[in-house]
Amino acid sequence: MPVYSPNEITQPNQEDLLIRRQRLAWRSSPSLHFFACPLWYTWAITRKMKVITMQFLAMLTMLIDHIGLIWFPEDAGWRIVGRLAMPIYAYAIVLGYFRTSHINRYLKRLAWIALISQLPYQFAFHLLEVNTVGSLFMCLLLLRLLDKYKGKPAVPYLIAAAFVILLEVLPFSYGAYLVLLVLIYRYAEAQWMTLLHFSLNAASVFVKGWVLQLFSVFATVFIIYLPGFLRSLDKIRMPRFVWRSFYPLHLTILAVLSYYMSNQSFQELLDFM
C-alpha cells in the first residue's frame, strides 16, 4: 500500500509550493495553538526516518492480518499482529504529507490505488465498504484542507468534524477512528501520542466492541519510543512498484485463493493429493 514515493524527482508547481510552505509554517498557526509544537516532527526529521521502512513493516503485518482474517478467524494471534499495520500507515501518511513536494500527485496516487483495490477488497473480505486506502486518501485530503484554511477561525475544526462524521456515517474502513488517529499523529506532542492512541482504542472498545484494536497502540510505542528498531530496517531496499502494487495485488491473490479454496471441487482435489 504506497503512501509516499521518496524517490520522486519532479518540479513542483506554484500551487504545490504554496501548500508546502503552509504545511511547514503550521507550527505558528494561532488557530491550532492548543496542540503546541509536536516534538515527533523534530524527532522524525533528525533521525531521517525512512517511510519505506515503515511501509515494509506495515505490509508484512497487514498480510499476516488478512491471512488470519480469511483463513484463521478463530486464532486471535494473527489479528493481534495485524493491528500494527494501520497505525503505521496512518503515521506514514502524516510523515509523507510533510515531505512530499507534490501533494496533488500524492492524492491522485492514493485515489487510483483505492479504486483499483476496491473490488478485490470486497471479494476478499465480503465487505461492502470503502477500503483502507480510500480512508487514508480522505485523511490526506483532510490534512491539506486543514492547512489551507488554518488562518480562518473555527473553519479547521468544522472541516475536521465533517470528515469524522462523513467517514463514520458512510461505509469507510475504520471510519472516524482512522481520522482521529491521523489527527493525533499530525498535531499531538510526542509525549501524549501513546496516551491519546490508547484512549482512542478504549473508546472504540466501548462504542464498537473493537477489543483487539487495543493492541494497535504498540505501533505508536514502536514509532515514538523504539526508533532504533525502525532504523534497523533501513537497510531494506524495495523497488517502487512493489509498495505501490502490494495492496491491490495481495488483495487480488487472497480473493482468488479464498474463492478456489472454498470451492468443493478444489477441496476434493486437495484431499486427493
Side-chain angles (χ1 to χ4, degrees), residues 10-271:
T10 49
Q11 294 298 320
N13 57 38
Q14 292 301 313
E15 182 183 4
D16 286 334
L17 288 173
L18 177 60
I19 293 295
R20 195 176 191 191
R21 284 196 295 268
Q22 291 174 338
R23 294 201 306 271
L24 294 176
W26 68 271
R27 286 171 290 183
S28 60
S29 171
S31 63
L32 297 173
H33 66 279
F34 174 80
F35 294 101
C37 176
L39 301 179
W40 73 265
Y41 181 69
T42 302
W43 171 87
I45 295 301
T46 55
R47 286 166 175 76
K48 299 181 180 179
M49 178 186 293
K50 295 183 179 180
V51 177
I52 189 173
T53 297
M54 292 184 289
Q55 288 176 340
F56 173 79
L57 185 59
M59 285 190 297
L60 178 61
T61 53
M62 178 175 61
L63 180 60
I64 293 172
D65 179 54
H66 290 171
I67 290 174
L69 179 60
I70 295 175
W71 289 294
F72 309 101
E74 303 302 323
D75 189 347
W78 296 79
R79 308 305 312 284
I80 290 173
V81 173
R83 296 308 87 204
L84 299 178
M86 189 274 289
I88 295 174
Y89 276 125
Y91 185 84
I93 278 285
V94 176
L95 196 60
Y97 173 72
F98 279 106
R99 293 184 178 181
T100 185
S101 299
H102 285 278
I103 186 63
N104 287 336
R105 293 186 182 182
Y106 194 178
L107 285 165
K108 288 178 182 178
R109 184 162 57 247
L110 283 180
W112 275 112
I113 295 168
L115 287 173
I116 294 171
S117 305
Q118 187 57 37
L119 285 179
Y121 179 85
Q122 291 182 219
F123 283 124
F125 305 126
H126 307 288
L127 295 173
L128 190 61
E129 66 179 17
V130 178
N131 62 73
T132 306
V133 176
S135 299
L136 289 171
F137 166 82
M138 295 296 291
C139 292
L140 182 62
L141 179 62
L142 171 61
L143 295 181
R144 184 181 185 185
L145 292 176
L146 290 178
D147 279 347
K148 184 176 181 180
Y149 295 102
K150 70 179 187 297
K152 301 181 182 297
V155 173
Y157 299 99
L158 293 175
I159 293 174
F163 270 72
V164 169
I165 295 172
L166 178 66
L167 267 72
E168 187 63 28
V169 172
L170 298 181
F172 278 85
S173 176
Y174 288 103
Y177 177 94
L178 182 53
V179 178
L180 294 174
L181 184 59
V182 167
L183 292 177
I184 289 172
Y185 288 149
R186 169 64 172 85
Y187 294 113
E189 295 185 13
Q191 61 267 29
W192 292 104
M193 279 188 180
T194 304
L195 178 59
L196 289 172
H197 188 178
F198 177 81
S199 300
L200 180 61
N201 287 346
S204 71
V205 172
F206 288 104
V207 175
K208 297 189 174 185
W210 291 356
V211 177
L212 291 180
Q213 198 61 31
L214 289 171
F215 292 94
S216 69
V217 75
F218 288 106
T220 301
V221 172
F222 287 147
I223 292 169
I224 301 301
Y225 299 107
L226 298 173
F229 172 75
L230 292 176
R231 284 186 59 81
S232 66
L233 300 176
D234 281 353
K235 66 181 78 172
I236 296 173
R237 296 292 181 266
M238 190 184 308
R240 186 183 305 176
F241 74 89
V242 173
W243 74 73
R244 287 188 175 182
S245 63
F246 180 81
Y247 189 70
L249 182 60
H250 97 280
L251 287 176
T252 301
I253 293 174
L254 291 178
V256 171
L257 288 177
S258 177
Y259 171 78
Y260 280 105
M261 292 181 72
S262 63
N263 185 282
Q264 185 63 32
S265 298
F266 186 79
Q267 288 292 341
E268 292 175 357
L269 177 61
L270 289 179
D271 293 338

